Structure formats: structure tokens, C-alpha cells
Amino acid sequence: MFVPTLRVVLCGNQLDCSLVQCPRQHCVKPIQSKGICCHYCGAEVRFRPPAGFYLMKFKERLANFLSETQQLDPKLTITVSLQEYELRLNIQITVSDSITDGNYEGAGYESSKVADSIHKYIVDYDIVREPDLVIEQSHQPYVIENTGSQGYDSFVYSGLQSWILYLVISVSLVLLIVIIVLLVKCSQKHRDNRSNLR
């Protein structure tokens, strides 16, 4: 049986980046993670490990999850490391990819999708609560598969929502005008009745 492997770094903070030449990145918002010399196109998920947390077991389960959901790709680099943030050790998961196809709007798209899955996996399996997770991405992922009818349906649905909102506002305005007119007429009638009594 194939057991997928993720790179694990235990002392990622001790880096000498003085001789590293960083390549130009082709995404809108390159990010930089601790333990990595250069900015990169991709994503980072970070959390403070709870009591009784075992890094190697977590790495193994995460790798199996990504393999079972067919998200491990040779073009992706996934690193699980211990990093220090605000004097506390954090688990840092970095995901980067080399896809620069125009259909994906630059590198980092696949990484963002995988990082979202990792984020969901950590919350769903109750490793930590969602508010205790930090996620940074080059850009927000969006669904591009099956855009034909699905894209059209969502377009129609959003158009229908706008039309209903417009209708509700229009009816509310008409009712408001009717109420104001009725109040003015009642007020005039009341004044006329008072003047007739005099």
C-alpha cells in the first residue's frame, strides 16, 4: 500500500537566507512563511497544537487524508513544520504549487484549494476549533469545474434574488406613498370637519 509522505521540518526557524536568490512570483499576493526564505504563491495554515498533540501522527493522518481525497499532486509542495509565533510553538502547514496556467489566474490556485481542504479537515476532526486556525492564501480559491450549467444556474439564482429584492423595495415604497396620501387626506378631512363646526 502506498503511504504518502509530507515533508516535516522540526527546526524551521534556523535558516540562513543570505545567499538565497528568490525567484519572481506570478501571483497577486505572494506570502512568506517562517522557515522559508522566499515569498511564494500558495497558502499557509497555522495553529497552536493542543495538549497531547503528536506531530508525526498528525502528519501521517493528513497525508492519508490528502491521498484519499486525491489532492496530493507532484506539482504541490506541502510542508508541515513547528514554528515559533509570539513565543509559542505553532504547527505551520505550507502549500505551494507551480501552476501558472492562465485558466487558474496564476500560481497558487491549487494550493489555496488544498489549504481550504486542510483547514476543513482540522476543524472537522476536532483537532482545534476554527477560531484558533490562521489561514493565509495568495488568492481565494473558486470553483472552476463544471462551470457550464452550474455557473448559469448561480447567475440565474443571483439575478432572481436581485429581482425579488427590487420587487420588495418597490412594493414597500408604493405602500409608504399610499399611507402618506391617506394620512394627508384624513388630516384635510379632519380640518374641514373642524372648520364646518365653527
Side-chain angles (χ1 to χ4, degrees), residues 9-178:
V9 181
L10 296 178
C11 302
N13 287 325
Q14 300 170 359
L15 279 183
D16 179 13
C17 298
S18 59
L19 300 175
V20 176
Q21 285 192 327
C22 294
R24 184 172 171 271
Q25 300 300 325
H26 299 283
C27 51
V28 178
K29 192 182 80 175
I31 59 175
Q32 184 164 26
S33 300
K34 287 197 174 186
I36 298 176
C37 288
C38 301
H39 285 79
Y40 64 95
C41 296
E44 173 192 296
V45 179
R46 189 172 75 240
F47 63 92
R48 190 176 298 163
F53 179 87
Y54 293 101
L55 178 64
M56 299 310 283
K57 191 179 284 186
F58 169 75
K59 182 217 71 157
E60 189 179 309
R61 288 179 178 168
L62 179 62
N64 286 329
F65 163 75
L66 293 172
S67 178
E68 286 165 12
T69 54
Q70 299 178 347
Q71 294 183 82
L72 280 180
D73 189 309
K75 294 173 185 164
L76 291 177
T77 302
I78 302 173
T79 304
V80 181
S81 63
L82 274 173
Q83 301 292 343
E84 191 179 289
Y85 286 87
E86 298 171 1
L87 304 176
R88 297 270 184 104
L89 281 177
N90 276 238
I91 302 300
Q92 174 184 281
I93 305 156
T94 60
V95 189
S96 60
D97 65 69
S98 58
I99 295 172
T100 54
D101 186 343
N103 292 332
Y104 294 98
E105 292 190 0
Y109 169 76
E110 288 296 331
S111 300
S112 291
K113 280 186 14 180
V114 172
D116 269 355
S117 291
I118 291 171
H119 181 277
K120 190 174 183 309
Y121 167 80
I122 291 168
V123 172
D124 288 352
Y125 284 84
D126 220 13
I127 296 164
V128 293
R129 295 173 307 129
E130 189 163 15
D132 298 328
L133 275 169
V134 176
I135 184 165
E136 288 184 54
Q137 296 167 296
S138 295
H139 56 249
Q140 296 301 315
Y142 49 89
V143 178
I144 59 166
E145 294 84 12
N146 303 323
T147 51
S149 63
Q150 219 173 8
Y152 178 74
D153 290 345
S154 65
F155 173 75
V156 169
Y157 181 69
S158 65
L160 186 63
Q161 279 183 320
S162 301
W163 186 82
I164 290 170
L165 183 64
Y166 172 75
L167 187 66
V168 167
I169 290 171
S170 300
V171 169
S172 302
L173 283 172
V174 168
L175 285 173
L176 185 62
I177 291 167
V178 168

